[in-house]
């Protein structure tokens, strides 16, 4: 099992000192990261990743609202093989017709991505789970409209905040899920209340075990009330501890 860090977690530090932030992430023990909005920082980020021996198998970029060729070219330069649309607002998940239109746009983006040798994915928030379309969550309905080559990155915390069991949702989405966001906390929309993995209400090992085709688990905090580097250190320590590994295998 490989673990990555969504760099949005340390966005404030990146804005102040990108190379130094990447170095600290590597020193904590991460070997993979998931960049966000990487077109703007591609050259500096690429140099920092190379210098610290980090890879970026996945990255977030607004495929449905920005220049896709520019995004895919930057992804290719950074070695990102899966570009994930990170955020489509709640109003797009309230009816079948709008969801169908979104799926069609993402399918088209995937065809363009294939020209660059890059796979396309989608990352959820809570609203895709709060809305019901034809007897299933909007996320499940959406998944059924996607071309086979598209993948999902399930944010397991927001699934739970949206009122669904992430273990159940992962089982329903099956092999489509190649990445998950691992975060923990009290299952509220208060992002400052998020906690390191294993310290909140998410059954982290059950969640990881339910994702049968997982390529990477991505540690993320939307926000944090403490020192963010300490938070990600605690998360990685929990995920890589011998005791936790034994729990995952049991």
């Amino acid at each position: 099992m490989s673990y990555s860090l969504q760099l949005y977690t340390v966005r404030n530090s990146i804005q102040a000192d990108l190379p130094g932030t990447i170095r600290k992430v590597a020193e904590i023990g991460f070997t993979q990261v998931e960049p966000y909005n990487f077109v703007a920082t591609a050259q500096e980020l690429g140099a920092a990743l190379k210098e610290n021996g980090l890879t970026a198998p996945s990255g977030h970029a607004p495929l449905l609202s920005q220049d896709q060729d520019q995004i895919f070219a930057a992804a290719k330069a950074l070695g990102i093989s899966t570009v994930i649309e990170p955020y489509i607002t709640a109003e797009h998940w309230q009816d079948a017709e709008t969801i169908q239109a979104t799926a069609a746009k993402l399918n088209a983006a995937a065809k363009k991505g294939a020209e660059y040798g890059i796979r396309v994915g989608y990352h959820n928030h809570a609203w895709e789970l709060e809305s019901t379309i034809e007897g299933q969550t909007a996320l499940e309905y959406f998944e059924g409209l996607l071309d086979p080559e598209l993948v999902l990155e399930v944010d397991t915390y927001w699934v739970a905040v949206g009122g669904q069991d992430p273990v159940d949702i992962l089982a329903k989405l099956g092999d489509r899920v190649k990445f998950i966001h691992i975060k923990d906390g009290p299952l509220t929309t208060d992002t400052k209340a998020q906690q390191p993995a294993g310290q909140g209400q998410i059954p982290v090992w059950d969640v990881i075990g339910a994702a049968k085709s997982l390529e990477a688990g991505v540690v993320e905090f939307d926000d944090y009330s403490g020192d963010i580097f300490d938070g990600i250190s605690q998360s990685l320590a929990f995920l890589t501890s011998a005791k936790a590994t034994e729990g995952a295998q049991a």
Side-chain angles (χ1 to χ4, degrees):
M1 178 66 188
S2 63
Y3 295 104
S4 180
L5 175 70
Q6 166 52 248
L7 290 179
Y8 181 79
T9 302
V10 289
R11 60 195 177 276
N12 294 330
S13 180
I14 283 175
Q15 287 170 7
D17 179 7
L18 187 152
T21 302
I22 299 301
R23 185 172 60 251
K24 287 178 75 171
V25 168
E27 288 170 351
I28 285 168
F30 284 96
T31 60
Q32 298 179 337
V33 295
E34 184 175 74
Y36 69 99
N37 194 25
F38 50 81
V39 171
T41 60
Q43 190 169 353
E44 188 180 18
L45 178 60
L49 295 180
K50 185 176 181 180
E51 183 178 335
N52 292 282
L54 297 177
T55 60
S58 60
H60 282 194
L63 287 166
L64 301 191
S65 61
Q66 292 186 13
D67 186 305
Q68 292 178 4
D69 288 295
Q70 196 176 33
I71 289 169
F72 290 131
K76 192 167 185 177
L78 288 165
I80 295 171
S81 55
T82 303
V83 173
I84 297 165
E85 170 64 54
Y87 187 91
I88 298 175
T89 53
E91 63 266 23
H92 291 88
W93 301 97
Q94 305 308 312
D95 64 85
E97 188 176 359
T98 307
I99 295 170
Q100 290 165 14
T102 299
K105 291 176 185 175
L106 210 59
N107 287 336
K111 287 181 172 58
K112 184 179 285 290
E115 297 171 10
Y116 291 82
I118 291 172
R119 187 172 58 175
V120 165
Y122 180 72
H123 162 274
N124 66 280
H125 287 79
W127 40 80
E128 298 93 336
L129 289 306
E130 293 169 338
S131 179
T132 301
I133 308 292
E134 297 182 8
Q136 56 188 340
T137 65
L139 184 62
E140 293 169 79
Y141 180 77
F142 176 67
E143 186 274 332
L145 300 169
L146 298 177
D147 289 343
E149 62 269 22
L150 271 99
V151 301
L152 291 177
E153 177 176 65
V154 175
D155 190 309
T156 56
Y157 189 76
W158 287 119
V159 167
V161 172
Q164 300 295 324
D165 177 357
V167 172
D168 178 57
I169 290 295
L170 287 167
K172 288 176 177 175
L173 296 174
D175 292 344
R176 180 82 74 174
V177 181
K178 302 301 183 187
F179 303 91
I180 59 172
H181 272 187
I182 299 170
K183 63 181 73 164
D184 213 340
L187 307 186
T188 69
T189 56
D190 178 9
T191 55
K192 282 279 189 186
Q194 289 177 9
Q195 297 167 277
Q199 297 182 26
Q201 294 184 30
I202 293 288
V204 174
W205 289 113
D206 291 343
V207 165
I208 291 172
K212 302 298 185 185
S213 297
L214 202 59
E215 295 176 8
V218 184
V219 172
E220 184 190 40
F221 291 76
D222 293 288
D223 211 337
Y224 189 52
S225 59
D227 178 270
I228 191 59
F229 290 99
D230 180 57
I232 64 175
S233 296
Q234 290 185 57
S235 284
L236 188 62
F238 172 78
L239 292 166
T240 56
S241 68
K243 183 178 179 181
T245 303
E246 290 168 6
Q249 293 171 346

